[in-house]
Amino acid sequence: MPRPWVALWVAVGAFTGAAACGGDSNPPARVVTIPDTPTATDSTLPLRVLAPRRNLLVGSAIDAGFRFTGSDGVEFKGTMVTQFNLLTPENDLKHDHVHPQQNVYNFAPADSIVAFAAANGMKARGHTLIAPTQVASWMANGSWTQAQAQQLLDDHVTTVVSHYRGQLMEWDVVNEALADDGSIKPSIWYNTIGRGYIERAFRDARAADSTVGLFYNDYNIEGVNAKSDSVYAMVQDFQARGVPITGIGLQSHFQVGGVPSTMAANIARFAALGLQVHITELDVRVPLPSTSSELAAQAQDYATVFSTCLQYPACSALVMWGFTDKVSWVPSTFPGWGDALIFDANYQPKPAFGAIVNVLK
Ligand code: XIL
């Protein structure tokens, strides 16, 4: 007997921050009816229906700069809530956004994203508490003693984690702390506190929320290399000394053809430590203008990352760094590269979307 139809409620109007962020007209909710049974029509099912069958959460980052407003609002929100069951604020929780002055916190933008997720049955990841490369200028340019910097780190982590207690699935507690050779990057946190700033952030986060997942997140740690070796050693040290850590985030910003051949082995070794291993920022950039053969190769890369993740129960969440080529950090960050996501700039599915559906089926 095929199972009955499942109605996926698409609350495209439930974005509570819309009025504050540019006058979205709050389009009405719509109901999309889709068959919840594996059939030949699976290729028409959204990712958020297919992924849970494989015990996977599938998500996208969403940024303040593209806040569901204007003529794109309906398509943007509609695609987002139809396809994904997990969101990551792309920038709104970073130190420089959420804590713009020493005694000023700006929670409203991230609050609206978290509320949107909850209203649409999606989970949310917190990104990120301590990112050495994105620190508010009052902190980065200040002159602090070690004790002062420790206090400022404690205050920040405690305040932000407490604000979202019970609302997030997990936090990227520390982001991009390491250089490619595995050493700790210089930053205001490292220069004032020393390497202990990393574990301090994890301990503070756990003290403020006893159950939220606590992740170390970075790029170029997807495969086995000097940098991921350093993360591995850090985690072992944390576990030996009782520093709380739940998982590792593999950002996964790849060039087409650049998925490391050791990604499965790398996930396996972190999973063997009892950690969760989540894909947190996947995108696959291609040289512009993109060609059909590059987009086919990109589709293969997306399929490889999804199928690699699915091999490991520890890899229970996979987030892409956006979903439409209309809005992506890639073109401005990597000039000459782009088209890194799974929907094109007109919200049409690309070959990568179909490849992911094939893997999930
Ligand atoms: C990027 C955002 O996408 C951009 O909008 C912002 O200008 C810079 O940061 N690794 C991370 C993310 O952990 O926070 C970065 O996000 C992309 C690389």
Side-chain angles (χ1 to χ4, degrees):
M1 269 299 275
R3 275 178 288 160
W5 296 65
V6 64
L8 178 67
W9 183 66
V10 182
V12 293
F15 177 58
T16 55
C21 302
D24 192 324
S25 57
N26 248 15
R30 38 189 178 101
V31 172
V32 180
T33 306
I34 39 182
D36 182 24
T37 178
T39 67
T41 62
D42 268 4
S43 59
T44 63
L45 292 182
L47 304 182
R48 77 175 279 176
V49 172
L50 293 170
R53 296 177 180 172
R54 309 293 304 272
N55 297 313
L56 182 69
L57 292 164
V58 62
S60 170
I62 175 168
D63 192 40
F66 198 83
R67 221 171 246 302
F68 305 141
T69 55
S71 57
D72 280 277
V74 174
E75 280 159 309
F76 189 86
K77 283 187 285 192
T79 307
M80 184 137 221
V81 302
T82 305
Q83 296 295 339
F84 302 105
N85 55 13
L86 175 59
L87 294 186
T88 305
E90 185 170 343
N91 289 297
D92 292 332
L93 286 170
K94 292 172 182 171
H95 190 279
D96 51 350
H97 284 66
V98 81
H99 197 169
Q101 294 168 47
Q102 187 168 351
N103 296 308
V104 176
Y105 285 87
N106 178 25
F107 287 118
D111 284 357
S112 67
I113 292 178
V114 172
F116 174 78
N120 289 285
M122 306 157 115
K123 294 185 184 297
R125 301 188 81 249
H127 175 82
T128 169
L129 293 167
I130 298 293
T133 53
Q134 284 178 294
V135 182
S137 56
W138 65 265
M139 179 72 211
N141 300 330
S143 173
W144 316 104
T145 65
Q146 183 187 49
Q148 286 171 328
Q150 287 171 333
Q151 187 65 51
L152 289 164
L153 184 142
D154 294 348
D155 288 348
H156 178 78
V157 173
T158 303
T159 302
V160 177
V161 173
S162 298
H163 182 86
Y164 291 104
R165 191 185 298 125
Q167 298 183 69
L168 301 179
M169 176 172 101
E170 61 206 26
W171 271 107
D172 290 332
V173 178
V174 177
N175 192 50
E176 302 182 355
L178 301 182
D180 281 348
D181 66 2
S183 63
I184 302 184
K185 284 179 185 163
S187 69
I188 188 67
W189 301 116
Y190 180 61
N191 301 348
T192 51
I193 300 175
R195 68 172 296 136
Y197 89 85
I198 300 177
E199 66 184 86
R200 193 173 185 98
F202 278 87
R203 292 188 197 275
D204 287 346
R206 178 53 75 233
D209 188 327
S210 61
T211 57
V212 70
L214 304 179
F215 279 63
Y216 177 78
N217 190 54
D218 214 328
Y219 60 89
N220 288 354
I221 61 166
E222 297 81 12
V224 176
N225 57 36
K227 188 171 181 179
S228 62
D229 285 352
S230 177
V231 176
Y232 188 82
M234 179 176 75
V235 170
Q236 285 190 307
D237 172 53
F238 280 9
Q239 292 180 325
R241 292 186 300 109
V243 180
I245 184 164
T246 317
I248 297 296
L250 309 181
Q251 289 189 7
S252 305
H253 296 290
F254 296 128
Q255 289 185 6
V256 65
V259 180
S261 59
T262 53
M263 191 162 179
N266 196 43
I267 293 173
R269 69 171 172 162
F270 281 105
L273 294 179
L275 293 179
Q276 296 175 37
V277 186
H278 292 169
I279 311 294
T280 52
E281 306 185 13
L282 176 62
D283 53 23
V284 180
R285 58 186 180 269
V286 300
L288 295 176
S290 57
T291 63
S292 56
S293 67
E294 296 281 15
L295 295 181
Q298 175 187 61
Q300 183 55 53
D301 288 341
Y302 270 99
T304 299
V305 174
F306 269 79
S307 59
T308 303
C309 177
L310 286 176
Q311 290 176 42
Y312 300 96
C315 190
S316 57
L318 192 159
V319 180
M320 288 166 269
W321 211 236
F323 60 91
T324 164
D325 289 335
K326 185 157 193 170
V327 197
S328 164
W329 75 307
V330 168
S332 60
T333 311
F334 305 100
W337 295 80
D339 289 355
L341 296 166
I342 64 173
F343 289 86
D344 70 17
N346 296 314
Y347 300 90
Q348 296 307 304
K350 293 164 62 182
F353 177 84
I356 293 168
V357 167
N358 279 336
V359 169
L360 292 176
K361 276 199 299 202

